[in-house]
Short mmCIF file of all heavy atoms in Angstrom, two decimals:
data_model
loop_
_atom_site.label_atom_id
_atom_site.label_comp_id
_atom_site.label_asym_id
_atom_site.label_seq_id
_atom_site.Cartn_x
_atom_site.Cartn_y
_atom_site.Cartn_z
N LEU P 1 139.52 153.02 -160.19
CA LEU P 1 140.35 152.03 -159.50
C LEU P 1 141.63 152.68 -158.97
O LEU P 1 142.34 153.37 -159.69
CB LEU P 1 140.70 150.92 -160.50
CG LEU P 1 141.34 149.65 -160.01
CD1 LEU P 1 140.47 148.94 -158.99
CD2 LEU P 1 141.58 148.73 -161.21
N TRP P 2 141.91 152.43 -157.68
CA TRP P 2 143.10 153.02 -157.06
C TRP P 2 144.34 152.89 -157.97
O TRP P 2 144.58 151.84 -158.57
CB TRP P 2 143.44 152.34 -155.75
CG TRP P 2 142.50 152.45 -154.60
CD1 TRP P 2 142.13 151.44 -153.77
CD2 TRP P 2 141.83 153.62 -154.10
NE1 TRP P 2 141.27 151.89 -152.81
CE2 TRP P 2 141.07 153.23 -152.98
CE3 TRP P 2 141.79 154.96 -154.50
CZ2 TRP P 2 140.29 154.12 -152.25
CZ3 TRP P 2 141.00 155.84 -153.78
CH2 TRP P 2 140.28 155.43 -152.68
N GLU P 3 145.13 153.93 -158.00
CA GLU P 3 146.33 153.95 -158.83
C GLU P 3 147.36 152.92 -158.38
O GLU P 3 148.13 152.40 -159.20
CB GLU P 3 146.93 155.35 -158.78
CG GLU P 3 148.17 155.54 -159.64
CD GLU P 3 148.78 156.91 -159.47
OE1 GLU P 3 148.27 157.72 -158.67
OE2 GLU P 3 149.80 157.18 -160.14
N ASP P 4 147.38 152.58 -157.10
CA ASP P 4 148.44 151.70 -156.59
C ASP P 4 148.05 150.22 -156.59
O ASP P 4 148.76 149.39 -156.02
CB ASP P 4 148.85 152.12 -155.18
CG ASP P 4 147.72 152.08 -154.16
OD1 ASP P 4 146.57 151.78 -154.56
OD2 ASP P 4 147.97 152.35 -152.97
N GLU P 5 146.95 149.87 -157.26
CA GLU P 5 146.62 148.46 -157.42
C GLU P 5 147.41 147.86 -158.58
O GLU P 5 147.68 148.53 -159.59
CB GLU P 5 145.12 148.29 -157.69
CG GLU P 5 144.21 148.77 -156.56
CD GLU P 5 144.30 147.92 -155.32
OE1 GLU P 5 144.63 146.71 -155.43
OE2 GLU P 5 144.02 148.44 -154.22
N ARG P 6 147.78 146.59 -158.45
CA ARG P 6 148.42 145.85 -159.54
C ARG P 6 147.33 145.12 -160.32
O ARG P 6 146.54 144.38 -159.76
CB ARG P 6 149.42 144.82 -159.00
CG ARG P 6 150.66 145.41 -158.37
CD ARG P 6 151.68 145.92 -159.37
NE ARG P 6 152.08 144.92 -160.34
CZ ARG P 6 152.92 143.90 -160.08
NH1 ARG P 6 153.39 143.71 -158.87
NH2 ARG P 6 153.24 143.07 -161.04
N LEU P 7 147.34 145.29 -161.64
CA LEU P 7 146.27 144.77 -162.47
C LEU P 7 146.73 143.60 -163.32
O LEU P 7 147.92 143.49 -163.67
CB LEU P 7 145.72 145.87 -163.38
CG LEU P 7 144.62 146.77 -162.79
CD1 LEU P 7 145.05 147.46 -161.52
CD2 LEU P 7 144.19 147.79 -163.83
N LEU P 8 145.77 142.76 -163.71
CA LEU P 8 146.05 141.60 -164.55
C LEU P 8 146.83 141.97 -165.81
O LEU P 8 147.82 141.29 -166.12
CB LEU P 8 144.73 140.91 -164.91
CG LEU P 8 144.81 139.76 -165.91
CD1 LEU P 8 145.67 138.62 -165.36
CD2 LEU P 8 143.41 139.25 -166.24
N PRO P 9 146.46 142.99 -166.59
CA PRO P 9 147.24 143.29 -167.80
C PRO P 9 148.68 143.71 -167.49
O PRO P 9 149.59 143.43 -168.29
CB PRO P 9 146.46 144.42 -168.47
CG PRO P 9 145.59 144.98 -167.41
CD PRO P 9 145.27 143.85 -166.50
N GLN P 10 148.90 144.34 -166.35
CA GLN P 10 150.27 144.69 -165.97
C GLN P 10 151.09 143.43 -165.68
O GLN P 10 152.26 143.32 -166.10
CB GLN P 10 150.26 145.61 -164.75
CG GLN P 10 149.64 146.97 -165.05
CD GLN P 10 149.40 147.80 -163.79
OE1 GLN P 10 148.98 147.26 -162.75
NE2 GLN P 10 149.63 149.10 -163.86
N VAL P 11 150.47 142.49 -164.99
CA VAL P 11 151.16 141.23 -164.69
C VAL P 11 151.47 140.48 -165.99
O VAL P 11 152.58 139.97 -166.18
CB VAL P 11 150.31 140.36 -163.76
CG1 VAL P 11 150.95 139.00 -163.53
CG2 VAL P 11 150.09 141.08 -162.42
N LEU P 12 150.50 140.43 -166.89
CA LEU P 12 150.72 139.74 -168.16
C LEU P 12 151.79 140.44 -168.99
O LEU P 12 152.64 139.78 -169.61
CB LEU P 12 149.41 139.67 -168.94
CG LEU P 12 148.35 138.71 -168.37
CD1 LEU P 12 147.01 138.91 -169.06
CD2 LEU P 12 148.80 137.25 -168.53
N ALA P 13 151.78 141.77 -169.01
CA ALA P 13 152.79 142.50 -169.77
C ALA P 13 154.19 142.21 -169.23
O ALA P 13 155.15 142.05 -170.01
CB ALA P 13 152.50 144.00 -169.72
N GLU P 14 154.31 142.13 -167.92
CA GLU P 14 155.61 141.82 -167.31
C GLU P 14 156.07 140.40 -167.64
O GLU P 14 157.25 140.08 -167.47
CB GLU P 14 155.51 142.00 -165.80
CG GLU P 14 155.34 143.46 -165.38
CD GLU P 14 154.86 143.61 -163.94
OE1 GLU P 14 154.69 142.56 -163.27
OE2 GLU P 14 154.64 144.75 -163.50
N ASN P 15 155.14 139.56 -168.11
CA ASN P 15 155.47 138.18 -168.45
C ASN P 15 155.43 137.93 -169.95
O ASN P 15 155.27 136.79 -170.40
CB ASN P 15 154.52 137.23 -167.73
CG ASN P 15 154.86 137.07 -166.26
OD1 ASN P 15 155.60 136.18 -165.87
ND2 ASN P 15 154.30 137.95 -165.42
N GLY P 16 155.57 139.00 -170.74
CA GLY P 16 155.76 138.84 -172.17
C GLY P 16 154.52 138.91 -173.03
O GLY P 16 154.59 138.64 -174.24
N TYR P 17 153.37 139.28 -172.46
CA TYR P 17 152.14 139.36 -173.24
C TYR P 17 151.92 140.77 -173.80
O TYR P 17 152.27 141.76 -173.16
CB TYR P 17 150.93 138.98 -172.37
CG TYR P 17 150.72 137.49 -172.23
CD1 TYR P 17 151.50 136.74 -171.35
CD2 TYR P 17 149.77 136.83 -173.00
CE1 TYR P 17 151.32 135.37 -171.22
CE2 TYR P 17 149.59 135.45 -172.88
CZ TYR P 17 150.37 134.73 -171.99
OH TYR P 17 150.19 133.37 -171.87
N THR P 18 151.34 140.82 -175.00
CA THR P 18 150.84 142.07 -175.56
C THR P 18 149.33 142.09 -175.33
O THR P 18 148.64 141.12 -175.65
CB THR P 18 151.16 142.16 -177.06
OG1 THR P 18 152.58 142.08 -177.23
CG2 THR P 18 150.64 143.48 -177.64
N ASN P 19 148.84 143.21 -174.79
CA ASN P 19 147.47 143.26 -174.30
C ASN P 19 146.63 144.28 -175.06
O ASN P 19 147.07 145.40 -175.32
CB ASN P 19 147.46 143.64 -172.82
CG ASN P 19 148.35 142.74 -171.98
OD1 ASN P 19 148.36 141.52 -172.18
ND2 ASN P 19 149.10 143.32 -171.06
N GLY P 20 145.41 143.88 -175.40
CA GLY P 20 144.48 144.79 -176.06
C GLY P 20 143.13 144.79 -175.37
O GLY P 20 142.64 143.75 -174.93
N LEU P 21 142.54 145.98 -175.27
CA LEU P 21 141.20 146.13 -174.72
C LEU P 21 140.29 146.73 -175.77
O LEU P 21 140.65 147.75 -176.40
CB LEU P 21 141.21 147.02 -173.47
CG LEU P 21 139.83 147.32 -172.85
CD1 LEU P 21 139.91 147.38 -171.33
CD2 LEU P 21 139.22 148.62 -173.38
N PHE P 22 139.11 146.15 -175.92
CA PHE P 22 138.19 146.58 -176.96
C PHE P 22 136.78 146.66 -176.38
O PHE P 22 136.17 145.64 -176.08
CB PHE P 22 138.26 145.60 -178.15
CG PHE P 22 139.67 145.38 -178.59
CD1 PHE P 22 140.39 144.29 -178.13
CD2 PHE P 22 140.30 146.29 -179.42
CE1 PHE P 22 141.71 144.10 -178.49
CE2 PHE P 22 141.63 146.12 -179.79
CZ PHE P 22 142.34 145.02 -179.33
N GLY P 23 136.30 147.89 -176.18
CA GLY P 23 134.96 148.08 -175.65
C GLY P 23 134.94 148.87 -174.37
O GLY P 23 135.34 150.02 -174.31
N LYS P 24 134.48 148.22 -173.32
CA LYS P 24 134.20 148.90 -172.05
C LYS P 24 135.34 148.70 -171.04
O LYS P 24 135.83 147.59 -170.86
CB LYS P 24 132.89 148.37 -171.47
CG LYS P 24 132.51 148.96 -170.12
CD LYS P 24 131.09 148.59 -169.76
CE LYS P 24 130.70 149.06 -168.37
NZ LYS P 24 129.27 148.86 -168.08
N TRP P 25 135.71 149.77 -170.36
CA TRP P 25 136.71 149.75 -169.31
C TRP P 25 136.04 150.04 -167.96
O TRP P 25 136.00 149.22 -167.08
CB TRP P 25 137.81 150.77 -169.61
CG TRP P 25 138.82 150.99 -168.54
CD1 TRP P 25 139.10 152.17 -167.90
CD2 TRP P 25 139.75 150.05 -167.98
NE1 TRP P 25 140.12 152.02 -166.99
CE2 TRP P 25 140.54 150.73 -167.02
CE3 TRP P 25 139.97 148.68 -168.20
CZ2 TRP P 25 141.53 150.09 -166.29
CZ3 TRP P 25 140.98 148.05 -167.46
CH2 TRP P 25 141.74 148.74 -166.53
N HIS P 26 135.53 151.26 -167.78
CA HIS P 26 134.71 151.65 -166.64
C HIS P 26 135.46 151.63 -165.32
O HIS P 26 134.87 151.38 -164.26
CB HIS P 26 133.45 150.78 -166.56
CG HIS P 26 132.35 151.43 -165.76
ND1 HIS P 26 131.18 150.77 -165.42
CD2 HIS P 26 132.21 152.67 -165.23
CE1 HIS P 26 130.40 151.56 -164.74
NE2 HIS P 26 131.01 152.74 -164.59
N LEU P 27 136.75 151.93 -165.36
CA LEU P 27 137.54 152.00 -164.13
C LEU P 27 138.35 153.28 -164.08
O LEU P 27 139.35 153.36 -163.38
CB LEU P 27 138.44 150.76 -164.00
CG LEU P 27 137.71 149.43 -163.86
CD1 LEU P 27 138.67 148.26 -163.94
CD2 LEU P 27 136.89 149.37 -162.57
N GLY P 28 137.91 154.28 -164.85
CA GLY P 28 138.58 155.58 -164.87
C GLY P 28 138.86 156.03 -166.29
O GLY P 28 139.44 155.29 -167.08
N ASP P 29 138.45 157.27 -166.62
CA ASP P 29 138.60 157.80 -167.97
C ASP P 29 139.71 158.84 -168.10
O ASP P 29 139.93 159.37 -169.19
CB ASP P 29 137.27 158.43 -168.43
CG ASP P 29 136.19 157.40 -168.63
OD1 ASP P 29 136.46 156.40 -169.31
OD2 ASP P 29 135.08 157.58 -168.09
N ASN P 30 140.37 159.14 -167.00
CA ASN P 30 141.45 160.14 -167.02
C ASN P 30 142.75 159.52 -166.53
O ASN P 30 142.76 158.52 -165.82
CB ASN P 30 141.08 161.34 -166.13
CG ASN P 30 139.91 162.13 -166.67
OD1 ASN P 30 138.79 162.00 -166.20
ND2 ASN P 30 140.16 162.95 -167.68
N TYR P 31 143.86 160.15 -166.91
CA TYR P 31 145.17 159.75 -166.42
C TYR P 31 145.18 159.87 -164.89
O TYR P 31 144.68 160.84 -164.35
CB TYR P 31 146.24 160.65 -167.04
CG TYR P 31 147.62 160.38 -166.52
CD1 TYR P 31 148.36 159.29 -166.99
CD2 TYR P 31 148.19 161.20 -165.54
CE1 TYR P 31 149.63 159.04 -166.50
CE2 TYR P 31 149.46 160.96 -165.05
CZ TYR P 31 150.16 159.87 -165.52
OH TYR P 31 151.42 159.61 -165.04
N PRO P 32 145.73 158.90 -164.18
CA PRO P 32 146.45 157.71 -164.62
C PRO P 32 145.62 156.43 -164.51
O PRO P 32 146.16 155.35 -164.21
CB PRO P 32 147.61 157.65 -163.63
CG PRO P 32 146.96 158.12 -162.33
CD PRO P 32 145.92 159.14 -162.73
N PHE P 33 144.33 156.54 -164.77
CA PHE P 33 143.41 155.43 -164.51
C PHE P 33 142.91 154.75 -165.78
O PHE P 33 142.15 153.80 -165.71
CB PHE P 33 142.22 155.94 -163.70
CG PHE P 33 142.62 156.67 -162.44
CD1 PHE P 33 142.52 158.05 -162.34
CD2 PHE P 33 143.12 155.97 -161.36
CE1 PHE P 33 142.89 158.72 -161.20
CE2 PHE P 33 143.51 156.63 -160.19
CZ PHE P 33 143.40 158.02 -160.12
N ARG P 34 143.32 155.26 -166.95
CA ARG P 34 142.84 154.70 -168.21
C ARG P 34 143.51 153.35 -168.49
O ARG P 34 144.59 153.05 -167.96
CB ARG P 34 143.16 155.67 -169.34
CG ARG P 34 142.63 157.09 -169.13
CD ARG P 34 143.26 158.08 -170.08
NE ARG P 34 144.70 158.12 -169.93
CZ ARG P 34 145.53 158.81 -170.71
NH1 ARG P 34 145.05 159.52 -171.71
NH2 ARG P 34 146.83 158.78 -170.50
N PRO P 35 142.92 152.53 -169.33
CA PRO P 35 143.54 151.22 -169.60
C PRO P 35 144.92 151.32 -170.20
O PRO P 35 145.78 150.48 -169.90
CB PRO P 35 142.54 150.55 -170.55
CG PRO P 35 141.69 151.65 -171.09
CD PRO P 35 141.63 152.68 -170.02
N GLU P 36 145.17 152.34 -171.03
CA GLU P 36 146.50 152.49 -171.62
C GLU P 36 147.54 152.89 -170.58
O GLU P 36 148.75 152.78 -170.83
CB GLU P 36 146.49 153.50 -172.76
CG GLU P 36 146.01 154.89 -172.41
CD GLU P 36 144.53 155.09 -172.68
OE1 GLU P 36 143.74 154.14 -172.48
OE2 GLU P 36 144.17 156.22 -173.09
N ASP P 37 147.10 153.35 -169.40
CA ASP P 37 148.02 153.65 -168.30
C ASP P 37 148.26 152.43 -167.42
O ASP P 37 149.11 152.50 -166.53
CB ASP P 37 147.43 154.76 -167.41
CG ASP P 37 147.07 156.02 -168.16
OD1 ASP P 37 147.85 156.42 -169.05
OD2 ASP P 37 146.01 156.62 -167.87
N ARG P 38 147.54 151.33 -167.70
CA ARG P 38 147.51 150.24 -166.73
C ARG P 38 147.77 148.87 -167.35
O ARG P 38 147.22 147.86 -166.93
CB ARG P 38 146.17 150.24 -165.98
CG ARG P 38 145.78 151.65 -165.53
CD ARG P 38 144.91 151.69 -164.35
NE ARG P 38 145.60 151.30 -163.13
CZ ARG P 38 145.13 151.50 -161.90
NH1 ARG P 38 143.95 152.09 -161.74
NH2 ARG P 38 145.78 151.10 -160.85
N GLY P 39 148.62 148.85 -168.38
CA GLY P 39 149.08 147.57 -168.89
C GLY P 39 148.56 147.17 -170.25
O GLY P 39 149.01 146.17 -170.81
N PHE P 40 147.61 147.93 -170.81
CA PHE P 40 147.10 147.61 -172.14
C PHE P 40 147.90 148.39 -173.19
O PHE P 40 148.10 149.59 -173.06
CB PHE P 40 145.61 147.93 -172.26
CG PHE P 40 144.73 146.92 -171.59
CD1 PHE P 40 144.16 147.19 -170.35
CD2 PHE P 40 144.47 145.69 -172.20
CE1 PHE P 40 143.35 146.26 -169.72
CE2 PHE P 40 143.66 144.76 -171.58
CZ PHE P 40 143.09 145.03 -170.33
N HIS P 41 148.31 147.67 -174.23
CA HIS P 41 149.12 148.27 -175.29
C HIS P 41 148.27 148.81 -176.44
O HIS P 41 148.70 149.74 -177.13
CB HIS P 41 150.10 147.22 -175.85
CG HIS P 41 150.96 146.60 -174.81
ND1 HIS P 41 150.64 145.39 -174.20
CD2 HIS P 41 152.12 147.01 -174.24
CE1 HIS P 41 151.58 145.08 -173.32
NE2 HIS P 41 152.48 146.04 -173.32
N GLU P 42 147.12 148.22 -176.67
CA GLU P 42 146.21 148.66 -177.73
C GLU P 42 144.82 148.79 -177.11
O GLU P 42 144.32 147.85 -176.48
CB GLU P 42 146.18 147.65 -178.87
CG GLU P 42 145.21 147.95 -179.99
CD GLU P 42 145.62 149.11 -180.88
OE1 GLU P 42 146.74 149.64 -180.69
OE2 GLU P 42 144.83 149.48 -181.77
N VAL P 43 144.21 149.96 -177.27
CA VAL P 43 142.93 150.24 -176.63
C VAL P 43 142.00 150.93 -177.61
O VAL P 43 142.36 151.93 -178.24
CB VAL P 43 143.11 151.16 -175.39
CG1 VAL P 43 141.75 151.55 -174.81
CG2 VAL P 43 143.97 150.48 -174.33
#
């Protein structure tokens, strides 16, 4: 997924949510495309 896209977990984090992902991501396995780079606090 393009680095310059705004993602749902980023929007939620900016609005006070703590975000966790458990299981499959499938949108990039390297920096800066991993879920922990894109708004998830626990992965």
Side-chain angles (χ1 to χ4, degrees):
L1 191 59
W2 295 136
E3 182 184 1
D4 60 357
E5 298 291 333
R6 291 284 304 285
L7 274 57
L8 174 62
Q10 293 170 320
V11 175
L12 289 169
E14 292 164 1
N15 284 268
Y17 279 79
T18 301
N19 307 318
L21 176 144
F22 309 96
K24 178 169 175 172
W25 173 240
H26 201 188
L27 296 172
D29 292 311
N30 293 101
Y31 176 79
F33 307 106
R34 305 165 301 174
E36 58 266 36
D37 305 320
R38 315 207 71 167
F40 284 102
H41 305 95
E42 177 72 5
V43 175

